[in-house]
Amino acid sequence: MIVRLMGEGQFRIDDACLARLDELDERATEALGREDEAELDARLDEMWAVVREQGEPLDDADLSPSDLIVPPSDLTLEETRALFSDQGLIPDL
Amino acid sequence: MAGLMGRATTVVKAKFSKLLDKAEDPNETLDYSYEQQLTLLQNVKRGVADVVTSKKRLQLQSSQLEQSLVKLETQARDALAAGREDLARAALERKTAAQTQLRGLDEQVQGLEAQQQKLVASERQLSAKIEAFRSQKEVIKANYSAAEAQVRIGEAATGIGEQMADTGLAIQRARDKTEEMQARAGAMDELIASGTLEDFTSDKTQLDRELEQISSQAQVDDELARLKGELGAGAERKEIEP
């Protein structure tokens, strides 16, 4: 499975790592719902750490698409919301 | 409700699927996409240059403040030596304020440094992927019919589209950050110019002028004493001469 850390790059991860990510993702999503920025940032930081530690970085020239994309951990609540909105944080290509 | 990863994936994929929809003919899609990639690469290079310019401006303000700290310290010393504790106090108050400004500037410089590193990494990844895409594109165009090419190119285009969306976000965030910094640096310049905030970096402050006055008064006193001495000596000689 290939995961992209937004603004960092792509990594290949195994099932155990994916299970851990899913678990953290669920808690991060709840934190966003409660507008608990500290908890959201902490869980996202943990997701990034898990991928960096357990994943294997893909070569820069690899053109494989990612199965999953992890948002940046240094966004504000507002930016995170904008990232997921229709207008989006990502400019049109 | 989908998780954060699911939502981020959907958002990113929606961005580049729009890009691929723009052309019907696969060869056209390939060329169009390649052009877009090159444009984006130029944008990311420009983004890096903008961040560096912003950083230099803040570093310049920062070094001006550093110089003013040394100057204010000297002024405080001079003022105390001249028995003007009020002026010494004023100089030290300004020094404290300048130190606070300096800490803020240093933090901003660090923030820009982080943005710069991210953009440089993004530029490196995009550049490597564009090169890989370019060679695949030529192979596909040479060896496959239009229908086959459509299938073959899907994955490569998706892979690079995803990188493009990611790089686009990195550029956008760096741009927001530099604009914010420039506005702040500009506001500081404006405040200084309008006199609302003491200009720590101008050549001559009120403190300078008062200290100059003290030293020029001292010089006048010295000169006066010298002249008096000369006159006195002359008068004595006159008395002796006849």
Side-chain angles (χ1 to χ4, degrees):
Chain A
M1 193 135 197
I2 296 171
V3 170
R4 171 180 288 275
L5 298 180
M6 284 187 95
E8 169 111 357
Q10 292 170 291
F11 297 80
R12 199 177 294 281
I13 59 163
D14 61 15
D15 288 349
C17 184
L18 177 64
R20 179 79 186 121
L21 271 186
D22 278 336
E23 189 189 314
L24 289 166
D25 188 35
E26 201 173 310
R27 289 166 64 188
T29 309
E30 279 169 17
L32 179 65
R34 286 199 307 273
E35 306 206 340
D36 184 346
E37 190 164 358
E39 169 75 7
L40 174 65
D41 289 346
R43 295 296 78 81
L44 279 170
D45 279 340
E46 223 175 313
M47 287 162 82
W48 274 60
V50 165
V51 174
R52 279 178 177 151
E53 278 163 25
Q54 298 175 23
E56 183 200 328
L58 243 61
D59 187 81
D60 283 347
D62 197 319
L63 287 174
S64 311
S66 307
D67 300 293
L68 277 176
I69 296 175
V70 184
S73 59
D74 60 348
L75 294 180
T76 60
L77 261 184
E78 221 170 288
E79 283 176 314
T80 307
R81 240 189 288 277
L83 177 68
F84 299 138
S85 74
D86 287 340
Q87 213 158 15
L89 202 61
I90 306 171
D92 282 332
L93 296 168
Chain B
M1 185 170 56
L4 296 185
M5 290 192 293
R7 280 191 258 176
T9 311
T10 308
V11 165
V12 171
K13 286 194 197 289
K15 283 288 168 192
F16 61 75
S17 72
K18 259 192 233 165
L19 185 73
L20 294 176
D21 285 348
K22 282 182 184 158
E24 291 273 314
D25 171 32
N27 283 348
E28 209 180 295
T29 309
L30 290 176
D31 292 336
Y32 177 73
S33 174
Y34 184 62
E35 269 170 42
Q36 294 289 105
Q37 292 158 26
L38 294 180
T39 307
L40 191 64
L41 192 61
Q42 286 309 310
N43 282 345
V44 73
K45 283 181 200 289
R46 202 174 311 133
V48 173
D50 287 348
V51 170
V52 170
T53 307
S54 257
K55 205 176 72 180
K56 281 196 179 143
R57 183 176 180 189
L58 292 185
Q59 280 168 334
L60 181 70
Q61 283 191 328
S62 175
S63 78
Q64 284 174 330
L65 278 175
E66 297 252 18
Q67 284 167 15
S68 77
L69 287 184
V70 177
K71 195 175 129 191
L72 286 164
E73 171 81 28
T74 311
Q75 286 178 331
R77 228 178 267 280
D78 291 349
L80 262 190
R84 290 290 306 271
E85 201 180 319
D86 58 328
L87 282 183
R89 188 173 289 281
L92 293 176
E93 275 166 9
R94 280 168 211 185
K95 191 183 155 196
T96 309
Q99 274 169 327
T100 310
Q101 296 272 15
L102 195 60
R103 271 196 296 274
L105 276 179
D106 287 346
E107 271 170 34
Q108 287 171 29
V109 169
Q110 278 167 23
L112 283 179
E113 181 66 43
Q115 290 296 327
Q116 188 185 335
Q117 280 172 11
K118 276 185 193 173
L119 276 184
V120 168
S122 205
E123 183 194 333
R124 192 195 61 230
Q125 289 166 358
L126 181 65
S127 177
K129 282 186 167 58
I130 288 176
E131 189 46 41
F133 183 83
R134 194 187 59 80
S135 43
Q136 278 205 24
K137 168 173 96 90
E138 293 314 317
V139 169
I140 291 169
K141 275 164 82 172
N143 298 308
Y144 296 95
S145 70
E148 284 170 323
Q150 186 81 62
V151 180
R152 297 263 162 188
I153 201 58
E155 193 163 86
T158 308
I160 197 146
E162 184 188 309
Q163 180 65 48
M164 290 169 76
D166 200 354
T167 302
L169 176 68
I171 296 172
Q172 186 62 46
R173 292 191 74 200
R175 196 172 290 159
D176 290 349
K177 202 91 181 176
T178 33
E179 271 171 16
E180 192 188 303
M181 298 288 173
Q182 276 168 351
R184 237 185 267 173
M188 200 156 140
D189 285 345
E190 232 170 82
L191 278 175
I192 288 168
S194 70
T196 315
L197 205 142
E198 187 65 47
D199 183 0
F200 298 106
T201 57
S202 94
D203 286 339
K204 203 158 274 188
T205 62
Q206 181 61 27
L207 202 60
D208 273 326
R209 282 189 283 273
E210 286 205 43
L211 281 171
E212 257 171 30
Q213 223 173 346
I214 291 174
S215 86
S216 73
Q217 267 168 11
Q219 204 181 335
V220 168
D221 288 346
D222 285 348
E223 297 261 315
L224 215 55
R226 184 178 58 80
L227 286 177
K228 275 180 186 168
E230 277 177 16
L231 279 177
E236 269 170 38
R237 269 200 297 278
K238 261 182 195 167
E239 274 167 29
I240 297 165
E241 256 175 28

